[in-house]
Amino acid sequence: MTKTRAGSFFEDYSVGQLLLHSVPRTVTEGDRAVYTALYPTRFALASSDEFARACGLPRSPIEDIAAFHVVFGKTVPDVSLNAVANLGYAEGRFLAPVYPGDTLTAASEVIGLRETSNGKSGVVWVRTTGFNQTGEAVLTYCRWVMVRKRDVAAPAAQPPTVPALAPAVAVRDLMVPPSLDFTRYDFGLAGEPWRWADYTVGERIDHVDRVTIEEAEHMLATRLWQNTAKVHFDATFRDDGRRLIYGGHVISIARALSFNGLANAQVVAAINAGTHANPAYAGDTVGAWSEVLDKAETLAPGVGALRIRTVAVKAGAPAFARLDEAGKHLADVLLDLDYWVLVPM
Amino acid sequence: MTKTRAGSFFEDYSVGQLLLHSVPRTVTEGDRAVYTALYPTRFALASSDEFARACGLPRSPIEDIAAFHVVFGKTVPDVSLNAVANLGYAEGRFLAPVYPGDTLTAASEVIGLRETSNGKSGVVWVRTTGFNQTGEAVLTYCRWVMVRKRDVAAPAAQPPTVPALAPAVAVRDLMVPPSLDFTRYDFGLAGEPWRWADYTVGERIDHVDRVTIEEAEHMLATRLWQNTAKVHFDATFRDDGRRLIYGGHVISIARALSFNGLANAQVVAAINAGTHANPAYAGDTVGAWSEVLDKAETLAPGVGALRIRTVAVKAGAPAFARLDEAGKHLADVLLDLDYWVLVPM
Amino acid sequence: MTKTRAGSFFEDYSVGQLLLHSVPRTVTEGDRAVYTALYPTRFALASSDEFARACGLPRSPIEDIAAFHVVFGKTVPDVSLNAVANLGYAEGRFLAPVYPGDTLTAASEVIGLRETSNGKSGVVWVRTTGFNQTGEAVLTYCRWVMVRKRDVAAPAAQPPTVPALAPAVAVRDLMVPPSLDFTRYDFGLAGEPWRWADYTVGERIDHVDRVTIEEAEHMLATRLWQNTAKVHFDATFRDDGRRLIYGGHVISIARALSFNGLANAQVVAAINAGTHANPAYAGDTVGAWSEVLDKAETLAPGVGALRIRTVAVKAGAPAFARLDEAGKHLADVLLDLDYWVLVPM
């Protein structure tokens, strides 16, 4: 009997099934440094212990998106090793900052299943939660992936279950780190003067900077999160000899590029929705633009919330274009991410 | 008089000579992060402080093979700067875990010398030992390299001395980290259910995953260990303009790939033998398979030992093929490594 | 109104203007590990806590040049985002070691302005100082860059001011880390036997080793320092599709290569002058040679100073060639750096 994992197929999942993901991971200052080398990130809260302390935190947390990657990576062997496509995210909430030294584990519950119309694969919905070493939940999100069937001829074993997912995380569900306090926020150190009141719903920002992706970089990133999906690493896996770039790599690039115009978006509080609209490959040059979708106040001192859509696009894409007339993403759009950030009031 | 080192030649070595290698190196969480980014490694003991503590260790040690690379790197300026080939390893024993914060030094003794038949070079055998800051030996191994002669016309100055090296490290010589205890081992967190009893001698495992090597990655890895051999870094050094990949890079790739099927092989206890059968270059896609060569019990609670042969091959190599009819390694074989690992009983 | 920064233009600067740079940065062991992976660096003081303690320091500081990069990176958005060229450095002094855990900030004063003769751009001189979390200055240097004018038709608003910069940092201005003591220096561990007395003014050293530059590597390096200049990252930015390599990447390569012959140059105490003579691109293979320009004693126990010129060149450049007959740098010269180092007496 083989000892290796071939990953699960659509038939292996059942609604309500609990998946306890393996390989706990202690996150360190080393991970932060590699992350900084991989992305042009400059958010002050995740860059400086001193800045973080001035904002009421005990020290600088790692980037929220980096914590997301660690948790996501744990789920790959159990959820998406045989995935045809990573279809979307919803109901993502960041529940507690992750600090260097924290050890993260992850678990998922299968919350939905639906066979595709051609019968060759099915969509699996999971709700994943990451925990630190004290058992505290640090983040949770739903994602759904298209997974191959082991036996394409077999009929669907279960009636379809499609979970009802919120179109956005409600403002009352945004978790602000307990001691976060932006009342003495230093805009000069943070890099931009724009506070919550300066952003208006509907406003759009072109983040100006762009970065060209290298094979070595996306593989370093993907391995850092112990994400094992073959398609990212093995140039012989696909017929075209191309390595598909982990969608999270593009999320981190877009988040880092968004600094230019959103430098004060120090905390990612929620992911409302996310789509990897088109695959990215080495050699692509990536830019990003954002739109302010909504604004809200929080109870925390000096802390406001902005709902942002950030769109990562290939260089040369027309400004602020996202969907075609049929409502489908344009070919130049790589990522369409709808999320809440916390900014100083 | 020149102040730079051109490296030693065959004539510079004598049996019994002691080489104290330079540049002590403090190993940190940063090194662990870079290692994780370079290799698809997921062994829980080297990934999580919490998991390591549950196994009786004070915290998560760095990967045994990473400690090997640090020590190996120290020896390069004194042993292999003018090496034509790194011929083999034997009698490798890991004597104590290395933790972030430890400072490693290394020393070697020349234990054998033999001029090659054509008189242009010679084989140098050394026994190398790495030490931590308390003077405790952390690992030891023998390797032999083919080194150029300074003067190919000069006769051999010494009679040949070929050391008698054990074909494998004896079970009684396997060092188990003092406090290691696998009696409460969490197979779910580790990623696979297979324990010592599940492996049978002769069993073979195809590790499934593969990774394509990039120039930037093997150079980052090789520099991380302060390994200075020109042939890895300088595209103008060889006539064919190719940079030869440090053999240790392939060892770490193979070890990381072996997770899929050997996820519970948490500790590398010994290296019985190792051969870099063919050179690797950027662009090669590397896979690996393993064979269980032997099994043994240890006195440590819940800790068993497996003797494993892991073979790294280029993508497309026939399954489990290693030697040709003449007993020589096939052209697709990059690494043939025979080693002992510690697994839960 | 746009929220993104397009960077400043020549007209935006005035002599005496103070620029407080954003994004404080906590430096960690992770940064040291990434730096070690990026450059073939082996200076023992920045490699080993034990070695550093034996030299009187509390622990191993990060490489002086790495601290320089962190401070330099902070200045880019305010000084050189619209720079046409980074023209030179002078009066650079390293004032205090930077240790992992230190948080660095930076500020610059505009000390000179002069419009170029064609009226399209102007030269801006700044004096930049980096500070740690206690407010202590850790390093200071002057640099001058050519910056585009916003309106090339506008006349110069101010009379030209060209600062008088010292041709070299005076020996009395070299700052030796307070507790540094080389009287028990271990030359064996450091890697070379050469002490201060072994170096003679006029002596030249070919550093032998070379390294070929990859796109992934220079971008990882440049991002690590949060340097955001588009020209390094965006293959679509220049008409020729090439990404210009951050000059500091070449400085670090040259400093690391200089180990072979200058292994005991443990501390960089000053930068007298520096020129990025020609642009570097991925694929270039870089070597280096040095010349001893001057020698001086210091009051610190066992600590001498050498003034060194290190020249980074492309592979194939003639030995020790630097300037043409007209006194201009040869096309193969990438970097010409004049600096003071501290070595054991």
Side-chain angles (χ1 to χ4, degrees), chain B residues 45-69:
Chain B
L45 199 74
S47 175
S48 163
D49 281 336
E50 303 296 320
F51 190 92
R53 280 193 272 269
C55 294
L57 301 185
R59 59 188 294 208
S60 176
I62 66 161
E63 297 254 348
D64 305 295
I65 297 296
F68 171 81
H69 291 318

Side-chain angles (χ1 to χ4, degrees), chain B residues 3-4 23-24 26 223 233 235, chain C residues 37 47 49 189 198 203 212 217:
Chain B
K3 289 202 168 54
T4 53
V23 189
T26 303
R223 280 189 292 249
F233 300 108
Chain C
S47 175
D49 282 335
L189 281 181
D198 296 318
E203 177 179 0
T212 304
E217 291 178 356

Side-chain angles (χ1 to χ4, degrees), chain A residues 45-315:
Chain A
L45 200 74
S47 174
S48 164
D49 281 335
E50 303 297 319
F51 191 92
R53 281 193 271 269
C55 294
L57 301 185
R59 58 189 293 209
S60 176
I62 66 161
E63 296 255 347
D64 305 295
I65 296 296
F68 171 81
H69 291 317
V70 173
V71 171
F72 185 102
K74 310 264 130 275
T75 72
V76 168
D78 301 312
V79 175
S80 46
L81 213 56
N82 293 315
V84 183
N86 195 19
L87 298 172
Y89 307 97
E91 298 189 1
R93 294 168 65 214
F94 293 84
L95 304 170
V98 174
Y99 294 101
D102 284 356
T103 299
L104 301 186
T105 54
S108 299
E109 184 186 355
V110 179
I111 59 170
L113 290 171
R114 187 183 63 192
E115 191 168 305
T116 49
S117 52
N118 65 12
K120 291 186 178 170
S121 56
V123 179
V124 179
W125 281 261
V126 295
R127 187 184 304 276
T128 297
T129 306
F131 301 91
N132 66 20
Q133 68 283 358
T134 70
E136 183 184 15
V138 297
L139 63 92
T140 183
Y141 65 94
C142 298
R143 76 163 164 139
W144 51 106
V145 294
M146 188 175 300
V147 176
R148 286 192 193 87
K149 285 176 70 177
R150 182 177 285 108
D151 175 7
V152 296
Q158 305 181 52
T161 305
V162 176
L165 297 173
V169 174
V171 172
R172 66 175 177 279
D173 290 333
L174 296 181
M175 188 73 89
V176 180
S179 54
L180 192 72
D181 181 343
F182 280 160
T183 53
R184 289 165 302 156
Y185 189 91
D186 188 328
F187 290 86
L189 280 181
E192 290 182 351
W194 321 113
R195 54 180 75 227
W196 185 81
D198 296 317
Y199 291 92
T200 54
V201 174
E203 177 179 1
R204 295 196 294 193
I205 302 164
D206 180 345
H207 297 302
V208 181
D209 302 308
R210 285 198 285 258
V211 60
T212 304
I213 299 180
E214 298 294 316
E215 295 282 12
E217 291 178 357
H218 77 83
M219 295 202 297
L220 289 169
T222 309
R223 280 188 293 248
L224 188 63
W225 319 123
Q226 301 176 313
N227 178 332
T228 58
K230 295 175 189 64
V231 74
H232 307 316
F233 300 108
D234 180 353
T236 69
F237 188 72
R238 285 163 50 118
D239 288 340
D240 66 0
R242 300 173 91 183
R243 280 162 275 178
L244 184 67
I245 288 174
Y246 163 49
H249 191 57
V250 179
I251 294 178
S252 280
I253 289 173
R255 164 73 175 152
L257 292 177
S258 79
F259 179 90
N260 202 339
L262 286 167
N264 296 317
Q266 298 288 354
V267 176
V268 176
I271 293 176
N272 300 308
T275 304
H276 299 293
N278 285 289
Y281 300 100
D284 286 349
T285 296
V286 181
W289 57 268
S290 295
E291 180 178 1
V292 180
L293 298 179
D294 201 357
K295 298 180 63 171
E297 301 187 40
T298 82
L299 297 175
V303 179
L306 297 176
R307 183 176 167 192
I308 303 285
R309 177 193 305 284
T310 294
V311 178
V313 295
K314 292 188 204 177

Side-chain angles (χ1 to χ4, degrees), chain C:
Chain C
M1 181 191 156
T2 182
K3 290 201 166 54
T4 53
R5 294 172 82 126
S8 301
F9 293 88
F10 182 68
E11 298 93 322
D12 300 323
Y13 296 99
S14 57
V15 172
Q17 186 181 4
L18 196 64
L19 306 166
L20 300 174
H21 307 301
S22 63
V23 190
R25 172 89 156 73
T26 302
V27 178
T28 73
E29 289 292 359
D31 298 308
R32 190 206 299 275
V34 177
Y35 192 87
T36 303
L38 285 165
Y39 305 106
T41 186
R42 289 183 289 152
F43 295 100
L45 200 74
S47 175
S48 164
D49 282 335
E50 303 296 320
F51 191 92
R53 280 193 272 268
C55 295
L57 301 184
R59 58 188 295 209
S60 176
I62 67 162
E63 296 253 347
D64 305 295
I65 296 296
F68 171 82
H69 291 317
V70 173
V71 171
F72 185 102
K74 310 265 131 273
T75 71
V76 168
D78 301 312
V79 176
S80 45
L81 214 57
N82 293 316
V84 182
N86 196 20
L87 298 172
Y89 307 98
E91 298 188 2
R93 293 168 65 214
F94 293 85
L95 304 170
V98 174
Y99 294 101
D102 284 357
T103 298
L104 301 186
T105 55
S108 299
E109 184 185 356
V110 179
I111 59 170
L113 290 170
R114 186 184 61 194
E115 191 168 303
T116 49
S117 52
N118 66 12
K120 291 186 177 170
S121 56
V123 179
V124 180
W125 283 261
V126 295
R127 185 184 305 274
T128 297
T129 306
F131 302 90
N132 66 20
Q133 68 282 359
T134 69
E136 182 185 15
V138 297
L139 64 91
T140 183
Y141 64 94
C142 296
R143 76 164 165 139
W144 51 107
V145 294
M146 190 176 299
V147 176
R148 285 192 194 85
K149 284 176 70 175
R150 181 176 285 109
D151 176 5
V152 296
Q158 305 181 51
T161 306
V162 176
L165 296 173
V169 174
V171 172
R172 66 175 176 279
D173 290 335
L174 296 180
M175 188 73 88
V176 180
S179 54
L180 191 71
D181 180 344
F182 280 161
T183 52
R184 290 167 301 157
Y185 189 90
D186 188 327
F187 290 85
L189 281 181
E192 290 182 351
W194 321 112
R195 54 180 75 227
W196 184 81
D198 296 318
Y199 291 90
T200 53
V201 173
E203 177 179 0
R204 296 196 293 193
I205 302 165
D206 180 344
H207 296 303
V208 180
D209 302 307
R210 286 198 283 259
V211 60
T212 304
I213 298 179
E214 298 294 315
E215 296 282 13
E217 291 178 356
H218 77 84
M219 294 201 298
L220 289 169
T222 310
R223 280 189 293 248
L224 188 63
W225 318 123
Q226 301 176 312
N227 177 333
T228 58
K230 294 175 190 63
V231 74
H232 306 315
F233 300 108
D234 180 353
T236 69
F237 188 72
R238 285 162 50 119
D239 290 338
D240 66 1
R242 300 173 90 182
R243 281 163 271 178
L244 184 66
I245 287 175
Y246 163 48
H249 191 56
V250 180
I251 294 178
S252 280
I253 289 173
R255 164 72 175 152
L257 292 177
S258 78
F259 178 90
N260 202 340
L262 285 167
N264 295 318
Q266 299 288 355
V267 176
V268 176
I271 293 177
N272 299 309
T275 305
H276 298 294
N278 285 288
Y281 301 99
D284 286 349
T285 296
V286 180
W289 57 268
S290 293
E291 181 177 0
V292 181
L293 298 178
D294 200 358
K295 297 179 65 173
E297 301 187 40
T298 82
L299 296 175
V303 179
L306 297 176
R307 184 177 167 191
I308 303 285
R309 176 194 306 284
T310 294
V311 178
V313 295
K314 291 188 204 176
F320 303 118
R322 185 168 70 94
L323 304 176
D324 64 15
E325 291 180 1
K328 289 198 145 188
H329 282 103
L330 296 166
D332 281 338
V333 173
L334 300 174
L335 170 75
D336 186 346
L337 191 70
D338 172 349
Y339 58 112
W340 283 101
V341 292
L342 303 181
V343 299
M345 298 287 277

